[in-house]
Amino acid sequence: MILIVAEKKSFAEVLAEVLKVKKSKGQYWQNDKYYISWCYGHLVELKNPDDYDPALKNWSYETLPIIPGTIQHKVRTKPDIAKSQFNTLKKLMNGNDIEYVICATDADREGELIYRRIHNMAGCKKPVKRLWCDSMENQEVEKALGNLKPDQDYDHLHEASHCRAVADWLIGMNGTRLFSTLHRNKLTVGRVQTPTLAMIVERDLQIENFVKQTYYTVHLQCGGLDGEGERIDDVNEAKRIQAVTHLQDAKILSVEKNIKNNNPPKLYSLSDLQGDANQYYGYTAQETLDIVQKLYEKKLMTYPRTSSQYITSEMRDSTLDVVPMAKAYCKFLGGISQEKINIDKVVDDKKVESHTALIPTREIGKSQNLSNLPMNEQHILTLVCVRLICAVDSPQQYSETIVVIESSGERDYPFKAKGKVIIEPGWKRLLDEYQGTLKSGKEEKDKDHVLPDVEEGQVYKGESQIADHLTSPPKRYTDKTLLDAMKRAGKEFIEEDTSHIGIGTEATRAGVRENDCGAGFERKP
């Protein structure tokens, strides 16, 4: 017999469907070849300080730091089913009829940690194979079952997750007790939570202490152009430049025209999707993660907790099949043709680590009742479909013109006029169409700004005037801008070729913001 251990019951149900194992009301299912059971998430966790020494139940400064000689684990007592489920898995894992175990927890380091803790706590000595799958589609699960790997291939993944968990424990337990005892009030400290909270507090202080300042620019109108000069902080200097340039000769020093490309966006990572879902629909990062998880469990989307923005070469053809399905789901794009789908732009095996980018699955072409999905799920599914369609479309091409003007009255203060003309809208026409469906009306289409035809050396009579401006305070963080800041944190101190920067992971950033950093945010409707 073979025992398969899933992380959640929902994935166990998919496995049962693929392997034709009859489901029952018990804590595992079986046929003549397989047992299938599940974990309810973390069934085994790190011990608390008072599990090592009952005296540590009372917090005091004198007992710090708490550093166990050997890190120990225990079976969770909550939810109520946890201990019973662990005992079920322990009995199955050590059964004489078990040939080997298939670890089918989520395909990430957290999933690996969940299984290894149970395996070790149960004293299991059976060989273990790893099922690695980014989708809950039956055909993808069936393919993954035919491509099992030895679980020792994932030892480093487990070690990384274990180290992160221990670091969280050491910092959280010691830091929280330290600050709480010093300040006589419970103050939680966390490896990710605390620096994130510090960024929010720093931004709040910047806003609170902000003092508006006036600055000036001088504008020069000539030949149908509006040339703008650089920022000037001194009003008297601005008045001087305006006076000496007004009604003086204005010469076209240069006319520079360039054809530029605005490349399509990359596919969604979880953080990028959370940012756009917040911008367009006001969903918090945690709400978006919860919605994506539901879509994943409904087999409509690939694995949620991903930091990648690419797919593997193995997924190239299947993703190519999904593009027209995604477009069919987005009925508002029905009138827009795509002459060429540039699928290879989103394929890069080297940039896919644990998981591929978030994309819809082939199920969106099979399901007939997608309109019956809850509205929040329709919103997120639409976002992911639009991003896939845009990512494989052609670049936007435009012509940019920069005209530099010199006034005879002040040759050291040049004026610039900029123009832009869309040549080929490319992927932007798709995004514009999507944004046109939104009720907010905040998104504006990319518009042309045509400059009059002028040539280098032409001289006009210039009219100048002063424009005054007020500096603005920094904006409060939204989910989108905080996630971006967390992803970039420490970038200036880290070498450019470092693969991972920032604080937190795709999976944990949402929880930190939701639970510990709720203040100091711009609220979205």
Side-chain angles (χ1 to χ4, degrees):
M1 295 286 287
I2 300 168
L3 169 63
I4 306 179
V5 180
E7 186 169 325
K8 302 179 184 69
K9 191 174 182 180
S10 56
F11 190 55
E13 290 173 339
V14 177
L15 290 163
E17 187 177 340
V18 170
L19 296 172
K20 296 178 172 54
V21 176
K22 187 176 180 180
K23 292 178 283 186
S24 65
K25 293 183 178 180
Q27 292 172 288
Y28 68 92
W29 309 316
Q30 71 178 101
N31 62 11
D32 58 355
K33 185 176 180 181
Y34 295 100
Y35 292 106
I36 299 177
S37 192
W38 50 92
C39 299
Y40 290 115
H42 285 274
L43 293 180
V44 177
E45 62 186 4
L46 294 174
K47 284 186 174 181
N48 293 320
D50 54 289
D51 293 320
Y52 293 94
D53 182 354
L56 293 174
K57 190 167 186 177
N58 296 317
W59 294 17
S60 69
Y61 178 82
E62 289 72 26
T63 59
L64 300 175
I66 303 169
I67 305 177
T70 302
I71 298 297
Q72 298 178 26
H73 298 80
K74 65 178 182 179
V75 178
R76 292 180 65 184
T77 56
K78 293 182 180 180
D80 295 338
I81 191 69
K83 189 170 184 179
S84 173
Q85 189 69 17
F86 171 79
N87 289 333
T88 297
L89 289 171
K90 180 178 179 180
K91 182 178 179 181
L92 290 170
M93 285 178 169
N94 293 298
N96 293 329
D97 58 340
I98 297 297
E99 179 184 353
Y100 61 88
V101 182
I102 296 176
C103 170
T105 50
D106 284 357
D108 58 14
R109 65 183 183 185
E110 197 71 11
E112 193 66 26
L113 182 69
I114 286 171
Y115 175 79
R116 298 286 185 108
R117 284 179 172 178
I118 295 170
H119 180 96
N120 294 335
M121 181 66 79
C124 181
K125 304 299 181 184
K126 305 290 184 180
V128 182
K129 297 184 179 181
R130 188 46 154 120
L131 180 143
W132 196 269
C133 190
D134 273 335
S135 170
M136 287 179 66
E137 292 176 277
N138 287 19
Q139 61 195 94
E140 294 299 323
V141 173
E142 189 172 359
K143 186 191 300 183
L145 284 165
N147 191 33
L148 299 173
K149 301 291 177 64
D151 201 39
Q152 57 262 35
D153 288 0
Y154 299 88
D155 283 350
H156 291 327
L157 197 66
H158 165 248
E159 290 161 3
S161 189
H162 175 69
C163 287
R164 185 172 68 88
V166 172
D168 284 343
W169 192 98
L170 291 171
I171 294 171
M173 291 295 181
N174 287 288
T176 297
R177 289 184 178 219
L178 173 63
F179 281 90
S180 297
T181 54
L182 286 176
H183 297 280
R184 301 182 182 278
N185 191 16
K186 187 176 181 181
L187 300 171
T188 58
V189 173
R191 179 179 59 86
V192 177
Q193 167 200 328
T194 301
T196 304
L197 189 58
M199 290 194 299
I200 295 172
V201 171
E202 182 181 12
R203 178 63 60 86
D204 275 356
L205 289 174
Q206 290 172 349
I207 295 171
E208 182 181 337
N209 298 321
F210 180 80
V211 178
K212 288 184 179 181
Q213 293 181 328
T214 305
Y215 67 94
Y216 311 89
T217 55
V218 180
H219 287 250
L220 184 68
Q221 284 84 31
C222 65
L225 297 169
D226 180 9
E228 183 178 25
E230 295 179 351
R231 168 175 168 164
I232 303 171
D233 293 321
D234 184 353
V235 64
N236 292 322
E237 176 65 6
K239 289 179 178 178
R240 184 192 70 80
I241 292 176
Q242 188 274 332
V244 299
T245 57
H246 186 58
L247 300 180
Q248 300 300 308
D249 287 346
K251 182 179 180 181
I252 306 298
L253 277 188
S254 64
V255 179
E256 183 180 350
K257 293 184 179 181
N258 291 298
I259 305 299
K260 294 189 174 183
N261 285 336
N262 181 9
N263 289 323
K266 297 175 183 177
L267 296 173
Y268 274 132
S269 67
L270 175 60
S271 289
D272 293 321
L273 174 61
Q274 287 169 322
D276 279 0
N278 178 248
Q279 177 182 348
Y280 291 132
Y281 298 110
Y283 298 139
T284 68
Q286 187 61 51
E287 286 171 339
T288 300
L289 176 56
D290 293 341
I291 296 166
V292 178
Q293 181 67 34
K294 290 176 183 176
L295 290 168
Y296 169 66
E297 292 177 3
K298 291 177 180 179
K299 307 179 185 181
L300 294 170
M301 202 171 293
T302 53
Y303 187 73
R305 295 165 177 82
T306 177
S307 60
S308 177
Q309 294 180 295
Y310 293 89
I311 60 170
T312 61
S313 52
E314 185 182 0
M315 293 177 63
R316 180 190 182 279
D317 292 342
S318 61
T319 305
L320 192 59
D321 292 339
V322 171
V323 175
M325 299 176 188
K327 193 176 177 193
Y329 173 71
C330 300
K331 295 181 174 59
F332 51 85
L333 298 179
I336 301 177
S337 62
Q338 282 183 291
E339 296 178 3
K340 183 180 180 181
I341 296 176
N342 301 309
I343 193 69
D344 292 322
K345 286 188 175 182
V346 300
V347 177
D348 194 330
D349 291 320
K350 294 180 180 178
K351 293 182 179 178
V352 177
E353 294 182 0
S354 298
H355 303 286
T356 65
L358 268 170
I359 59 172
T361 69
R362 285 168 291 202
E363 286 294 316
I364 63 167
K366 302 175 185 177
S367 301
Q368 302 298 316
N369 58 345
L370 294 181
S371 60
N372 294 330
L373 289 172
M375 188 55 64
N376 58 3
E377 293 180 23
Q378 290 189 46
H379 288 161
I380 299 302
L381 185 57
T382 299
L383 263 178
V384 174
C385 286
V386 169
R387 176 56 69 94
L388 171 61
I389 299 165
C390 288
V392 299
D393 205 80
S394 58
Q396 180 197 52
Q397 192 176 74
Y398 63 94
S399 170
E400 182 182 74
T401 304
I402 300 177
V403 179
V404 179
I405 311 164
E406 178 188 77
S407 172
S408 61
E410 179 55 82
R411 300 184 189 278
D412 293 330
Y413 188 79
F415 299 85
K416 290 183 180 179
K418 295 182 179 180
K420 178 179 178 180
V421 177
I422 308 300
I423 300 172
E424 292 290 343
W427 65 274
K428 284 282 287 181
R429 74 198 189 285
L430 301 164
L431 182 63
D432 288 343
E433 198 68 28
Y434 162 66
Q435 291 177 341
T437 68
L438 301 176
K439 293 180 180 179
S440 66
K442 295 178 181 178
E443 304 299 330
E444 294 185 2
K445 291 187 177 182
D446 204 358
K447 297 179 180 178
D448 290 345
H449 177 55
V450 183
L451 296 183
D453 288 330
V454 294
E455 296 182 2
E456 185 177 325
Q458 286 182 316
V459 178
Y460 301 90
K461 192 65 69 177
E463 295 182 5
S464 59
Q465 58 186 24
I466 297 174
D468 59 306
H469 313 268
L470 284 175
T471 55
S472 300
K475 293 183 178 179
R476 290 190 181 276
Y477 282 116
T478 64
D479 275 60
K480 180 179 178 65
T481 56
L482 182 65
L483 288 168
D484 288 342
M486 293 175 75
K487 287 173 69 175
R488 297 193 309 270
K491 185 176 181 179
E492 63 271 29
F493 306 111
I494 299 174
E495 295 180 5
E496 289 186 7
D497 59 349
T498 303
S499 58
H500 292 284
I501 61 172
I503 52 177
T505 67
E506 299 288 330
T508 60
R509 289 178 189 129
V512 169
R513 176 261 182 267
E514 197 82 9
N515 297 328
D516 305 301
C517 302
F521 272 81
E522 175 188 334
R523 298 297 177 184
K524 290 286 184 178

